[in-house]
C-alpha cells in the first residue's frame, strides 16, 4: 500500500496542475464571454441598420454567450472543488506530522461530564481524539461520529471493520465527497427539516393544482388572441391579469409562509442531492455499503433525482422575489400558487422516506472520517475479535495522539474478571496508560484499527472515573461528586459487565478513611463479573493481591540518576517502591 504522506503529496502536485489549468480556462472564458457580448451588440446594431443576415449572427452570438456563461460557472465550481481538495490533502499531511490543533471542529459541544467515559479520556474538545479523527463536512455527520464514539455498542464490530477497510481504499472518492459537501454550508439542521416535513399539513385546496394550469393556459390563449389575431381586446387581458393578482393575493399568507419555511431548506436539498449522486454512482462490494445504496433507490427513481427535482422546484419558487415574475408571473400564470402546490405535493409524496435518505448521507460522511483515520495509520492493527478468557491481549499498545518517535508502548494482557492495581511515581505514565487502554477499547468497539502491533479483544463496554469535578451551581462538593460517580458504576455493573478504569479512588477524603473505603470498594468490584484497572498512590491497596487471585499488582517506576528524574514509562509487575513527590518539592526549591 502507498504511504499516506506520499499519496497526499502526489495529490497536491496533481491538483496544483489542475488548478493552474482551470485558472487559464476561466480567464479564456471571461475573454470569450466579453467578445461574445460585443458580437451580440454589434450584430444586433447591423441587423437593424443594414441586413437581416446579421440577425443570424446575433442569434449565434447569444447562443455562444449563454454557452460561455454555463461553461464559466462549471469551471468556477471545478476550481472551488480543486481548492478544497488541495486543502484536504494539506490538512492530512499536517495531521500526520502531529499538527491538528488548527482543525475547527473540536467536538466541544459533545462534552458530557456524566457520560460513561468520554470526559475522562479526552474524547472531545481541543486536543481531543475527536478533533484528530473528525473530517465530516455536515453537522449530522459530525453528530454521528460523536454518537459512534460514545455509544458503547459491541454489536457487529467485524462488519464495522470491513466497512472501514473498503472505504479507506477509496481515498479520491472520499475526498471528492467531502469537497462536494463543503461547497454549501446550510444553517438549518437536518433534524429541523425532517421535523418540518413530517409535521407539514397541506394548506392549499387540492383543486388549485388543476386550476392553476387551466388559468395559465387561458392566459396564453388570451395573449395569442391579442397579439396574433387581434380578436381579444387589451382591456380583457388587463382584467384577466388583475383577476390573477387577486387570486394570488387571496392565498398570499399561505404561500408566503411556505416560502419562508422552504427558504431554510433550499440550500440543504441542493447540497444533499449532489452527495446522494456520489453514493449512487460509486461501486461498493461490502454488503452493508450496498444495502445503504439500495435505501436511496425508490423504484426506478433515485433519491438524488428526487432531491434534485425538489431543489429545482425550490429555486423556481424563489424566483417570486423577481419583480417581473412577482407581477406578470402571478397575474397571468399564478406563479406562487402553482409552485406552492407542486412543493406541497412533493412533501406529501416523500415525507415518510426523506429521513432515511438524509441518514444515508450522514452515515457515509461519518464513515469517511473513520476510513480516513484507517488509511492514515497503516501501521495500526484491526482488533481480532474472540470469545476467549482474555478481554485484551495487546502487544506494543500506545496512545494514537502521542508522537510515535517519542511514545513508549506497552504489552498488556488482562483476563475476564481480573483487576489490576497500578501504582507509580508522579509523571511516570499511569494516567496516560489508563487513557491508552480506554481509548483502545473505544476504537475497537467502533471498528477502528488501534495503536498496537497486535490486539486480541473480547468486546466489552467501558466505564471510567478519572476526572470528577465539583459543581458550584449544584452546591456539590468534590467528594460527593465522586461518590455519585462510584454509585453510578456500582449500579451499572449489576446488570452488565464493564471494563472499569479508575484513577485514584476517594481523593476527597483523609488518608485513613480513603484507604479503608478504597479497599472495600475494590473488593466490591472484584466480586462482580467485570474487570479493569485501578490506579492509585495508596500502596496499601496492593495487599489485596495476596487475598484475591483475581487482583494483580503493576507499577510505573521512576529513577533518580545524577540528581535528575528518569522515566521509562513501562508497566512492570509488582508494587512501586520509588515515589518522587519529596524529590520534586526539593528540586524545584519549593521546600
Amino acid at each position: 500500500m502507498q504511504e499516506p504522506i506520499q499519496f497526499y503529496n502526489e495529490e497536491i502536485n496533481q491538483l496544483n496542475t489542475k488548478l493552474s489549468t482551470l485558472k487559464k480556462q476561466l480567464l479564456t472564458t471571461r475573454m470569450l464571454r466579453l467578445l461574445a457580448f460585443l458580437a451580440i451588440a454589434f450584430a444586433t446594431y447591423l441587423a437593424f441598420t443594414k441586413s437581416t443576415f446579421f440577425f443570424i449572427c446575433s442569434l449565434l452570438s447569444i447562443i455562444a454567450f449563454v454557452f460561455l456563461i454555463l461553461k464559466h460557472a462549471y469551471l468556477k465550481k471545478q476550481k472551488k472543488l480543486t481548492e478544497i481538495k488541495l486543502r484536504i490533502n494539506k490538512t492530512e499531511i499536517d495531521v500526520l506530522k502531529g499538527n491538528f490543533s488548527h482543525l475547527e471542529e473540536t467536538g466541544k459541544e459533545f462534552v458530557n461530564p456524566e457520560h460513561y467515559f468520554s470526559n475522562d479520556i479526552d474524547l472531545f474538545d481541543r486536543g481531543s481524539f475527536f478533533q484528530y479523527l473528525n473530517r465530516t463536512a455536515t453537522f449530522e455527520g459530525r453528530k454521528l461520529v460523536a454518537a459512534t464514539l460514545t455509544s458503547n455498542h459491541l454489536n457487529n464490530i467485524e462488519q464495522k471493520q470491513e466497512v472501514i477497510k473498503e472505504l479507506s481504499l477509496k481515498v479520491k472518492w472520499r475526498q471528492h465527497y467531502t469537497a462536494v459537501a463543503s461547497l454549501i454550508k446550510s444553517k438549518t439542521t437536518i433534524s429541523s427539516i425532517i421535523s418540518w416535513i413530517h409535521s407539514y399539513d397541506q394548506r392549499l385546496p387540492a383543486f388549485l393544482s388543476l386550476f392553476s394550469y387551466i388559468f395559465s393556459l387561458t392566459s396564453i390563449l388570451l395573449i395569442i388572441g391579442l397579439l396574433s389575431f387581434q380578436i381579444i381586446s387589451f382591456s380583457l387581458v388587463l382584467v384577466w391579469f388583475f383577476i390573477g393578482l387577486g387570486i394570488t393575493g387571496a392565498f398570499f399568507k399561505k404561500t408566503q409562509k411556505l416560502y419562508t419555511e422552504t427558504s431554510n431548506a433550499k440550500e440543504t436539498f441542493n447540497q444533499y442531492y449532489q452527495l446522494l449522486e456520489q453514493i449512487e454512482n460509486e461501486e461498493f462490494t461490502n454488503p452493508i455499503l450496498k444495502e445503504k445504496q439500495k435505501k436511496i433507490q425508490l423504484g426506478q427513481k433515485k433519491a438524488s433525482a428526487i432531491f434534485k427535482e425538489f431543489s429545482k422546484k425550490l429555486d423556481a419558487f424563489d424566483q417570486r422575489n423577481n419583480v417581473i415574475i412577482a407581477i406578470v408571473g402571478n397575474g397571468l400564470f399564478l406563479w406562487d400558487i402553482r409552485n406552492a402546490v407542486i412543493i406541497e405535493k412533493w412533501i406529501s409524496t416523500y415525507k415518510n422516506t426523506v429521513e432515511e435518505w438524509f441518514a444515508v448521507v450522514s452515515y457515509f460522511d461519518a464513515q469517511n472520517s473513520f476510513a480516513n483515520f484507517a488509511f492514515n495509520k497503516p501501521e495500526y492493527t484491526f482488533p481480532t475479535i474472540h470469545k476467549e478468557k482474555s478481554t485484551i491481549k495487546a502487544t506494543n499498545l500506545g496512545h494514537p495522539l502521542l508522537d510515535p518517535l517519542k511514545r513508549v508502548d506497552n504489552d498488556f494482557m488482562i483476563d475476564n474478571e481480573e483487576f489490576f492495581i497500578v501504582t507509580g511515581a508522579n509523571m511516570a505514565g499511569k494516567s496516560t496508560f489508563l487513557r491508552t487502554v480506554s481509548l483502545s477499547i473505544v476504537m475497537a468497539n467502533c471498528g477502528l484499527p488501534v495503536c498496537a502491533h497486535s490486539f486480541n479483544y473480547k468486546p466489552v463496554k467501558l466505564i471510567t472515573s478519572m476526572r470528577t469535578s465539583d459543581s458550584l451551581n449544584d452546591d456539590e462538593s468534590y467528594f460527593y461528586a465522586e461518590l455519585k460517580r462510584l454509585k453510578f458504576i456500582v449500579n451499572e455493573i449489576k446488570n452488565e459487565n464493564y471494563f472499569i478504569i479508575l484513577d485514584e479512588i476517594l481523593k476527597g477524603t483523609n488518608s485513613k478513611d480513603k484507604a479503608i473505603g478504597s479497599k472495600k470498594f475494590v473488593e466490591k468490584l472484584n466480586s462482580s463479573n467485570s474487570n479493569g484497572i485501578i490506579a492509585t498512590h495508596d500502596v496499601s491497596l496492593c495487599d489485596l493481591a495476596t487475598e484475591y487471585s483475581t487482583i494483580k499488582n503493576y507499577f510505573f517506576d521512576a529513577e533518580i540518576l545524577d540528581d535528575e528524574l528518569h522515566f521509562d514509562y513501562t508497566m512492570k509487575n509488582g508494587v512501586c517502591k520509588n515515589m518522587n513527590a519529596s524529590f520534586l518539592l526539593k528540586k524545584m526549591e519549593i521546600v
Side-chain angles (χ1 to χ4, degrees):
M1 180 189 285
Q2 190 177 19
E3 285 296 315
I5 287 186
Q6 181 187 352
F7 172 86
Y8 294 131
N9 279 320
E10 288 179 4
E11 279 295 293
I12 287 170
N13 290 334
Q14 292 176 15
L15 290 166
N16 275 324
T17 302
K18 183 178 180 180
L19 185 60
S20 178
T21 303
L22 286 168
K23 286 179 178 178
K24 291 176 182 177
Q25 290 176 333
L26 280 166
L27 180 61
T28 302
T29 55
R30 284 194 193 100
M31 297 300 297
L32 290 174
R33 196 170 57 179
L34 176 61
L35 290 173
F37 177 78
L38 294 174
I40 292 169
F42 185 63
T44 303
Y45 168 75
L46 292 176
F48 281 104
T49 57
K50 295 191 177 182
S51 168
T52 54
F53 165 76
F54 291 100
F55 270 118
I56 299 173
C57 296
S58 178
L59 179 62
L60 292 174
S61 298
I62 290 171
I63 293 171
F65 184 69
V66 172
F67 170 77
L68 288 167
I69 287 175
L70 295 174
K71 180 70 173 177
H72 190 76
Y74 170 78
L75 290 172
K76 278 182 71 176
K77 182 180 177 181
Q78 293 304 307
K79 176 176 174 284
K80 184 66 176 174
L81 282 170
T82 304
E83 288 171 341
I84 293 172
K85 289 178 185 178
L86 267 171
R87 188 170 70 243
I88 288 171
N89 284 279
K90 289 176 180 177
T91 295
E92 295 308 327
I93 290 175
D94 285 341
V95 172
L96 284 170
K97 292 179 178 178
N99 305 318
F100 65 96
S101 60
H102 62 286
L103 298 179
E104 292 181 7
E105 301 299 340
T106 65
K108 185 177 181 179
E109 66 269 34
F110 305 118
V111 172
N112 177 10
E114 296 182 359
H115 184 261
Y116 287 79
F117 54 79
S118 66
N119 198 51
D120 286 334
I121 64 173
D122 302 315
L123 205 56
F124 302 112
D125 216 342
R126 190 159 299 280
S128 66
F129 183 68
F130 178 88
Q131 187 180 22
Y132 186 86
L133 167 89
N134 175 61
R135 299 293 186 278
T136 55
T138 67
F139 175 69
E140 297 300 319
R142 192 159 68 249
K143 278 174 58 180
L144 188 54
V145 168
T148 303
L149 290 172
T150 56
S151 66
N152 242 350
H153 288 169
L154 308 181
N155 54 313
N156 304 322
I157 291 176
E158 289 169 306
Q159 288 92 324
K160 294 174 190 175
Q161 292 177 356
E162 293 306 313
V163 167
I164 291 171
K165 286 176 183 178
E166 178 166 341
L167 288 176
S168 69
L169 300 177
K170 295 180 177 290
V171 192
K172 292 190 177 184
W173 180 83
R174 287 191 284 102
Q175 290 189 355
H176 187 71
Y177 186 95
T178 302
V180 170
S182 301
L183 283 177
I184 301 171
K185 293 294 184 183
S186 176
K187 296 178 181 178
T188 308
T189 63
I190 299 302
S191 57
S192 62
I193 292 174
I194 291 170
S195 176
W196 166 66
I197 289 175
H198 279 174
S199 61
Y200 188 85
D201 293 321
Q202 187 171 322
R203 296 164 187 163
L204 297 173
F207 76 86
L208 284 177
S209 178
L210 179 61
F211 177 78
S212 62
Y213 284 101
I214 294 172
F215 189 93
S216 299
L217 180 61
T218 305
S219 296
I220 292 170
L221 293 174
L222 287 173
I223 292 168
I224 292 172
L226 172 66
L227 298 177
S228 301
F229 304 106
Q230 296 182 344
I231 58 175
I232 301 294
S233 68
F234 179 75
S235 299
L236 180 60
V237 175
L238 191 62
V239 169
W240 184 256
F241 170 78
F242 280 111
I243 289 173
L245 289 180
I247 294 171
T248 301
F251 295 97
F252 176 77
K253 284 186 177 180
K254 292 180 178 179
T255 55
Q256 177 62 28
K257 185 176 182 182
L258 179 62
Y259 172 73
T260 302
E261 293 168 348
T262 56
S263 295
N264 296 329
K266 186 163 71 76
E267 287 186 348
T268 300
F269 280 95
N270 188 21
Q271 178 190 47
Y272 271 68
Y273 92 73
Q274 297 177 66
L275 295 177
L276 286 166
E277 277 183 340
Q278 300 305 313
I279 299 167
E280 291 164 350
N281 296 333
E282 185 60 22
E283 188 174 330
F284 300 106
T285 58
N286 183 274
I288 294 174
L289 298 178
K290 291 175 82 170
E291 182 62 30
K292 295 293 180 183
Q293 276 185 317
K294 287 182 182 178
K295 285 185 177 181
I296 54 176
Q297 183 89 24
L298 191 66
Q300 296 301 312
K301 207 166 187 180
K302 294 180 177 179
S304 64
I306 295 168
F307 269 39
K308 186 176 183 179
E309 174 191 329
F310 191 52
S311 179
K312 287 182 176 179
K313 288 172 180 176
L314 294 178
D315 285 337
F317 199 20
D318 198 39
Q319 294 302 314
R320 72 199 298 270
N321 292 320
N322 183 298
V323 176
I324 295 174
I325 290 178
I327 297 174
V328 178
N330 284 319
L332 296 175
F333 306 107
L334 303 182
W335 182 266
D336 274 7
I337 291 173
R338 191 162 81 251
N339 281 308
V341 167
I342 290 170
I343 288 168
E344 284 196 330
K345 185 178 179 182
W346 189 96
I347 293 172
S348 176
T349 304
Y350 299 111
K351 68 190 305 179
N352 295 320
T353 54
V354 292
E355 183 174 3
E356 190 168 50
W357 296 342
F358 278 125
V360 170
V361 171
S362 301
Y363 173 83
F364 276 93
D365 194 26
Q367 290 300 315
N368 284 348
S369 283
F370 296 131
N372 182 74
F373 178 85
F375 176 78
N376 283 349
K377 300 295 183 182
E379 71 276 17
Y380 286 14
T381 184
F382 282 94
T384 301
I385 307 301
H386 63 76
K387 296 182 179 179
E388 298 170 7
K389 185 180 179 183
S390 298
T391 300
I392 297 173
K393 185 179 181 181
T395 58
N396 295 104
L397 179 65
H399 197 291
L401 300 189
L402 295 179
D403 184 348
L405 298 177
K406 299 177 181 177
R407 185 184 69 222
V408 176
D409 299 335
N410 279 280
D411 292 345
F412 175 66
M413 185 178 78
I414 186 168
D415 288 341
N416 303 335
E417 301 182 23
E418 269 191 347
F419 277 91
F420 289 1
I421 295 177
V422 179
T423 52
N426 294 302
M427 304 184 298
K430 296 193 307 299
S431 295
T432 299
F433 179 73
L434 297 185
R435 288 179 172 83
T436 298
V437 175
S438 299
L439 189 54
S440 71
I441 292 172
V442 173
M443 293 166 69
N445 290 344
C446 293
L448 285 167
V450 299
C451 181
H453 285 178
S454 67
F455 196 89
N456 293 316
Y457 177 56
K458 181 179 181 181
V460 64
K461 292 185 175 184
L462 176 67
I463 194 166
T464 64
S465 179
M466 300 165 65
R467 189 179 283 156
T468 309
S469 60
D470 56 2
S471 174
L472 295 177
N473 290 334
D474 297 333
D475 192 25
E476 185 177 90
S477 71
Y478 178 91
F479 183 60
Y480 184 65
E482 187 180 7
L483 288 178
K484 279 174 59 180
R485 184 67 177 181
L486 297 180
K487 175 64 174 174
F488 171 70
I489 292 173
V490 168
N491 288 339
E492 288 296 317
I493 63 176
K494 287 177 183 176
N495 304 314
E496 287 191 81
N497 298 339
Y498 281 86
F499 196 97
I500 304 165
I501 294 186
L502 308 176
D503 194 359
E504 206 64 55
I505 309 169
L506 303 178
K507 294 183 282 288
T509 188
N510 65 72
S511 299
K512 185 177 179 180
D513 198 28
K514 173 186 173 182
I516 296 170
S518 297
K519 182 178 179 182
K520 290 183 179 297
F521 186 72
V522 173
E523 287 176 324
K524 186 172 185 64
L525 295 181
N526 189 52
S527 65
S528 72
N529 294 321
S530 296
N531 61 346
I533 308 172
I534 300 152
T536 182
H537 286 100
D538 183 2
V539 293
S540 68
L541 272 183
C542 299
D543 295 340
L544 289 170
T546 61
E547 300 178 37
Y548 301 97
S549 61
T550 52
I551 296 178
K552 296 180 180 179
N553 292 323
Y554 290 88
F555 71 99
F556 286 86
D557 206 4
E559 288 185 296
I560 301 172
L561 301 173
D562 299 326
D563 203 34
E564 293 292 337
L565 264 179
H566 293 272
F567 304 100
D568 61 11
Y569 304 111
T570 302
M571 190 171 74
K572 306 177 182 71
N573 285 306
V575 181
C576 182
K577 304 298 182 184
N578 301 322
M579 298 298 181
N580 58 18
S582 299
F583 172 82
L584 288 172
L585 287 169
K586 187 175 180 180
K587 183 73 176 175
M588 296 176 69
E589 299 181 354
I590 297 172
V591 295

